[in-house]
Amino acid sequence: MLNIVLVEPEIPNNTGNIGRLCVGTESRLHLVHPFGFVINDKNLKRSGLDYWVHLDVSEYANVEEWIKSIPDPSRVFLMSSHAEKSYLENDFQDGDWLVFGKESVGLSKEVLDQFENHLTIPMSKLIRSFNIANSVAFVVGEAKRQIGLKI
């Protein structure tokens, strides 16, 4: 099972869509506070539809609390538009942690400095970034494809 981490998510619709993706891909969702919304926000539930009740989700008060829950930091992969290595070049394994930052600014330098594995999603220079829900879908899809090939 993959672990999908959203650090300080800001937009409930994105979090709801990612929650739905996690249910559909049998992945765990980890949400790190503070959020830019209330977890029972109607938009979050609208985006997650009726799937939210099936979601394997954990919440953490802050980054430090989340980091304490990680059994193997070498299997944590942080997504950053500043990384040099593409997620398509990475060898994913069952149980990996895929970490995404807040929509407005991504992951902070403090979070990035705590882990060595940074990955990027290749994109045209015409855009700054992809929507976070799309970014999660790209990376989870590739990771699940790779894991499926190893079974």
Side-chain angles (χ1 to χ4, degrees), residues 96-121:
D96 281 352
W97 296 74
L98 310 177
V99 185
F100 301 82
K102 63 173 83 176
E103 290 91 339
S104 61
V105 295
L107 293 165
S108 69
K109 181 179 180 342
E110 293 76 27
V111 173
L112 289 166
D113 288 348
Q114 299 208 36
F115 299 94
E116 59 185 57
N117 298 317
H118 299 182
L119 301 174
T120 191
I121 299 171

Side-chain angles (χ1 to χ4, degrees), residues 2-137:
L2 292 170
N3 294 285
I4 311 308
V5 182
L6 302 182
V7 178
E8 301 179 5
E10 298 170 312
I11 301 172
N13 301 56
N14 288 333
T15 301
N17 283 320
I18 293 165
R20 184 176 181 173
L21 177 72
C22 287
V23 171
T25 60
E26 299 178 330
S27 301
R28 276 189 195 101
L29 181 61
H30 302 264
L31 300 173
V32 181
H33 285 267
F35 303 159
F37 53 88
V38 177
I39 199 70
N40 62 3
D41 186 291
K42 66 178 181 175
N43 293 325
L44 176 67
K45 290 187 176 175
R46 184 182 307 137
S47 299
L49 297 174
D50 56 344
Y51 301 100
W52 198 258
V53 297
H54 302 292
L55 180 61
D56 183 350
V57 61
S58 298
E59 290 184 43
Y60 305 89
N62 52 46
V63 170
E64 293 75 24
E65 183 181 322
W66 162 64
I67 289 174
K68 289 178 187 173
S69 74
I70 301 168
D72 182 1
S74 73
R75 300 310 307 170
V76 176
F77 299 93
L78 285 73
M79 304 305 141
S80 170
S81 60
H82 305 292
E84 294 183 20
K85 183 178 178 182
S86 167
Y87 79 101
L88 296 167
E89 301 171 294
N90 196 62
D91 184 22
F92 292 107
Q93 299 176 16
D94 194 29
D96 281 352
W97 296 74
L98 310 177
V99 185
F100 301 82
K102 63 173 83 176
E103 290 91 339
S104 61
V105 295
L107 293 165
S108 69
K109 181 179 180 342
E110 293 76 27
V111 173
L112 289 166
D113 288 348
Q114 299 208 36
F115 299 94
E116 59 185 57
N117 298 317
H118 299 182
L119 301 174
T120 191
I121 299 171
M123 68 187 109
S124 163
K125 296 197 184 304
L126 298 175
I127 62 171
R128 234 180 8 265
S129 63
F130 289 110
N131 171 278
I132 189 171
N134 292 335
S135 296
V136 174

